[in-house]
Amino acid sequence: MRVNENYKNLDESYLFSTIAKKVKEFSEHNKDVEIIKLGIGDVTQPLCHAVIEALHSAVEEMGRKETFKGYGPEQGYDFLKEAILSYYDKNNVSLDLDEIFVSDGAKSDLGNILDLFDKDNIVLIPDPVYPVYVDTNIMAGRKIVFIDANENNGFLPMPNNSVKADIIYICSPNNPTGAVYNKEQLSVWVDYAIKNEAVILFDSAYESFIDDKNLPKSIYEVENAKKCAIEFCSFSKTAGFTGTRCGYTVVPNELVFNNSSLNKMWLRRQTTKFNGVSYIVQKGASAVFSEEGQKQIKQNLDYYKRNAKVISDTLDKLGIDYTGGKNSPYIWLKCPNNMNSWDFFDLLLTKIGIVGTPGAGFGNNGKNYFRLTSFNTLEKTQEAMERFYELFK
Ligand code: PLP
């Protein structure tokens, strides 16, 4: 038996363990300091009432002989897919029911989709980036070409026509930078992908944070995107499902490469290797799209957005450069005095008891940047940013 040697090429993931270790050490020696975490990448507000009601009633159904459900369709129940379809419809994107695949979250699908592609494809990934795109391709032994996201391009890199790529990752609104592509920029990417016969893997896990009506929530708002893009979406950040687990992936029927339909291949892959998301969770997820559900998740999203504004207002007052904070739960700031992101991490922790995430953990271009998130409480975010202001004013 031989193991997959590609795993040896993965970098150890030291980021969150190193942060936890440093925080533990500091708090042991400074028991009087209240540490505030603005590095949280997880939601903190509970599931909304409409979802809880739907979950309860689905549990009741599972306990009665007449309404009990066994295996469901691997690609998701129609009631949820129809709700997703009408959500897209509201954004003027029309999809067919068989183009939607329900899953246990975007992370699994982002990893699993690679089953459809040959190992010898060239993968284009922005730097800095959500590390899952990089690691899943390293595991498969694929060649990665990085594209710089930096101050000069507002952390929104555009294609370089002299670089040939087959699989392109785009995350908008972006984790970690909070930057969001507009339609014109995405349409340049779509044209590039079509010209290169490439596929775009578009991660829209944070689309529900977009308030600006001019910014696209879905890549399919761009003409011809159905010819080249797969879209990954999630209830995690939209509706607090990080622990409940549900997401969906759109694989348009128009995606045909070398006479192979990616939609049919993905259906075959999912029906072979996946047995669907639980009926109970899908009922909860469909309640997100009800009138009540939409109002209630908006309250939670508005809460996080208000925190983001507390952070970005403070940075504005201090004249510190950043991206994100609007249309995104993330604020990506330039470390003052060109500090390295780990030194900046230590400074914030030891001087004011604030924890964030060093940009170096997301790629080389993050080494002088720092990610703050809006997922803590309003009170703690305000307190943290008061301390931050006092330190840097
Ligand atoms: N995509 C991005 C960019 C993320 O930041 C995350 C989670 O933090 C995910 C996908 C994973 O989402 P899910 O919880 O649906 O697996």
Side-chain angles (χ1 to χ4, degrees):
M1 197 287 280
R2 274 177 291 179
V3 299
N4 180 349
E5 295 288 332
N6 296 320
Y7 277 64
K8 295 199 174 123
N9 299 327
L10 292 165
D11 279 338
E12 274 306 324
S13 168
Y14 293 122
L15 180 66
F16 290 102
S17 58
T18 309
I19 292 175
K21 193 163 145 251
K22 281 176 179 268
V23 172
K24 187 163 174 266
E25 263 167 31
F26 175 78
S27 57
E28 272 167 12
H29 295 106
N30 298 275
K31 293 212 162 33
D32 53 321
V33 178
E34 192 215 350
I35 292 178
I36 301 180
K37 294 187 176 163
L38 293 187
I40 310 173
D42 195 355
V43 291
T44 47
Q45 296 291 309
L47 294 174
C48 70
H49 187 67
V51 168
I52 293 295
E53 261 188 346
L55 290 172
H56 276 300
S57 92
V59 169
E60 290 300 323
E61 283 183 67
M62 292 300 264
R64 281 195 303 270
K65 198 163 192 275
E66 310 74 52
T67 47
F68 169 77
K69 305 264 183 307
Y71 290 124
E74 290 91 344
Q75 60 275 41
Y77 282 100
D78 277 356
F79 65 78
L80 177 54
K81 294 201 295 176
E82 273 155 14
I84 294 167
L85 204 78
S86 44
Y87 178 69
Y88 271 98
D89 231 29
K90 279 192 203 129
N91 290 322
N92 300 317
V93 171
S94 83
L95 296 174
D96 289 334
L97 217 53
D98 68 355
E99 294 178 314
I100 297 167
F101 296 82
V102 174
S103 74
D104 66 347
K107 192 184 197 173
S108 323
D109 280 4
L110 281 160
N112 295 335
I113 200 78
L114 296 179
D115 273 12
L116 309 193
F117 309 122
D118 188 271
K119 178 183 153 292
D120 288 332
N121 281 301
I122 296 171
V123 186
L124 193 64
I125 303 185
D127 167 4
V129 80
Y130 176 52
V132 169
Y133 312 152
V134 178
D135 288 352
T136 49
N137 278 290
I138 291 178
M139 286 172 181
R142 249 180 229 110
K143 185 169 179 314
I144 298 173
V145 177
F146 286 100
I147 175 167
D148 287 330
N150 54 32
E151 208 179 340
N152 299 332
N153 54 34
F155 289 93
L156 294 169
M158 297 304 294
N160 174 347
N161 285 320
S162 63
V163 175
K164 162 100 181 80
D166 305 304
I167 300 172
I168 302 158
Y169 284 84
I170 300 179
C171 176
S172 176
N174 191 271
N175 177 15
T177 69
V180 189
Y181 280 105
N182 65 30
K183 263 193 213 167
E184 292 68 36
Q185 291 166 321
L186 282 186
S187 120
V188 176
W189 274 111
V190 165
D191 291 347
Y192 168 84
I194 291 175
K195 192 167 140 244
N196 282 286
E197 294 176 47
V199 67
I200 294 176
L201 304 181
F202 188 78
D203 186 342
S204 66
Y206 296 95
E207 57 83 20
S208 53
F209 285 84
I210 295 180
D211 282 327
D212 186 338
K213 297 264 177 293
N214 295 317
L215 293 173
K217 283 168 165 279
S218 160
I219 194 164
Y220 304 123
E221 291 178 46
V222 171
E223 206 182 343
N224 290 329
K226 281 191 197 164
K227 296 193 175 106
C228 64
I230 297 177
E231 181 158 289
F232 300 84
C233 207
S234 168
F235 294 94
S236 283
K237 309 296 156 90
T238 303
F241 271 57
T242 51
T244 308
R245 309 304 306 145
C246 199
Y248 49 94
T249 292
V250 180
V251 189
N253 284 315
E254 286 178 51
L255 283 177
V256 178
F257 292 79
N258 286 340
N259 295 325
S260 295
S261 152
L262 292 189
N263 177 286
K264 297 284 167 296
M265 286 173 74
W266 183 241
L267 178 66
R268 188 71 169 88
R269 192 267 170 215
Q270 290 298 78
T271 49
T272 304
K273 294 195 185 180
F274 182 59
N275 251 341
V277 177
S278 91
Y279 174 74
I280 298 166
V281 168
Q282 291 192 58
K283 274 287 176 183
S286 72
V288 168
F289 297 109
S290 67
E291 213 180 308
E292 279 308 299
Q294 286 288 296
K295 267 193 226 145
Q296 293 166 7
I297 62 158
K298 185 172 182 308
Q299 280 174 2
N300 285 352
L301 290 165
D302 285 346
Y303 184 88
Y304 299 134
K305 288 176 194 173
R306 188 166 167 204
N307 290 345
K309 186 161 180 349
V310 170
I311 299 172
S312 53
D313 282 351
T314 311
L315 298 178
D316 284 338
K317 265 199 290 181
L318 291 166
I320 295 176
D321 285 342
Y322 63 93
T323 49
K326 286 186 195 78
N327 306 302
S328 161
Y330 297 121
I331 295 95
W332 179 251
L333 64 100
K334 190 171 181 184
C335 303
N337 306 322
N338 220 22
M339 269 177 102
N340 133 344
S341 66
W342 276 110
D343 291 343
F344 189 67
F345 174 91
D346 291 335
L347 179 82
L348 289 192
L349 176 64
T350 55
K351 296 274 187 216
I352 53 175
I354 307 299
V355 181
T357 314
F362 300 100
N364 203 32
N365 284 325
K367 62 182 190 296
N368 298 110
Y369 286 82
F370 203 72
R371 193 190 74 174
L372 295 176
T373 77
S374 59
F375 292 121
N376 210 320
T377 61
L378 175 63
E379 295 71 26
K380 290 209 171 150
T381 307
Q382 281 168 333
E383 163 70 26
M385 293 321 285
E386 275 162 28
R387 292 188 206 167
F388 192 99
Y389 182 75
E390 286 306 310
L391 182 65
F392 291 106
K393 74 178 181 200

